Amino acid sequence: MSAEEQRIDLPDLAAMEAFGQRIARRLRPGDVVALSGGLGAGKTTLARAILAALGHQGEVPSPTFTIVETYDAPPLSVPVAHADFYRLDDPCELAEIGLDDYRDGAALIAEWPDHAGGFGHEPACIEIRLAARTKDAEEGRIAIVKAGPDWLGRMP
Ligand SMILES: Nc1ncnc2c1ncn2[C@@H]1O[C@H](COP(=O)(O)OP(=O)(O)OP(=O)(O)O)[C@@H](O)[C@H]1O
């Protein structure tokens, strides 16, 4: 973990919800929330928590097969494109998908961001790496957070 990274303990689903609320309160169009971590790390759980805190009610289908799911404002306070890039073979495919159009005026929540070439170079990107706290997945998660310069002063 480098000096500019922050470690956040997420011992249970309630902590995940609260973390999602913290992010949602600060989210603006143009932001990227890049969620990485292995299978079962909690990426979709955190994406759902953020969407719920933005005002989404009901299901949040996993975008594994559609790659991008969109959520409008209203009813959300910020429009969101929720993407899962796991199935992407090459970041060049982003143009085919039309990711720029999805991102126009919206915040992007990106699972498997490295499969899309990564977003850490964007100043409005907050990178969140999720992992199990211990060998026992029941014992919760940790998040290693690296916020881009546009997030300075936004995440406490
Ligand atoms: N902080 C937490 N504490 C305990 N369990 C958690 C926590 N966060 C998520 N989980 C649980 O971990 C499981 C996997 O979560 P999730 O599906 O969000 O992972 P994922 O990273 O999206 O996985 P995949 O990439 O395989 O789709 C779920 O059963 C979820 O309830």
Side-chain angles (χ1 to χ4, degrees):
M1 204 171 88
S2 69
E4 74 261 32
E5 290 178 335
Q6 190 188 352
R7 181 191 151 122
I8 295 173
D9 254 313
L10 302 164
D12 52 28
L13 290 175
M16 211 68 162
E17 292 290 321
F19 186 38
Q21 288 165 7
R22 273 178 69 192
I23 296 165
R25 273 199 297 274
R26 294 157 174 85
L27 199 67
R28 301 173 185 161
D31 287 346
V32 183
V33 181
L35 301 177
S36 58
L39 294 172
K43 302 178 292 297
T44 305
T45 304
L46 184 54
R48 287 186 173 128
I50 296 167
L51 285 164
L54 289 171
H56 177 69
Q57 294 183 334
E59 296 281 299
V60 173
S62 167
T64 307
F65 292 101
T66 51
I67 303 192
V68 184
E69 295 281 342
T70 57
Y71 298 86
D72 295 335
L76 269 66
S77 48
V78 176
V80 169
H82 176 206
D84 182 336
F85 296 116
Y86 185 75
R87 292 193 319 127
L88 228 60
D89 294 319
D90 191 309
C92 295
E93 292 171 28
L94 293 174
E96 267 169 53
I97 295 164
L99 185 67
D100 287 347
D101 293 335
Y102 284 117
R103 290 190 60 184
D104 195 18
L108 174 67
I109 301 177
E111 301 188 37
W112 298 97
D114 47 318
H115 288 211
F119 298 90
H121 58 282
E122 296 191 21
C125 179
I126 183 165
E127 295 177 276
I128 301 174
R129 207 163 70 240
L130 293 163
R133 290 207 304 177
T134 69
K135 283 184 189 150
D136 183 353
E138 295 295 307
E139 290 184 29
R141 306 288 185 273
I142 57 157
I144 306 297
V145 180
K146 189 175 173 190
D150 279 9
W151 280 84
L152 284 180
R154 275 203 262 167
M155 286 307 276

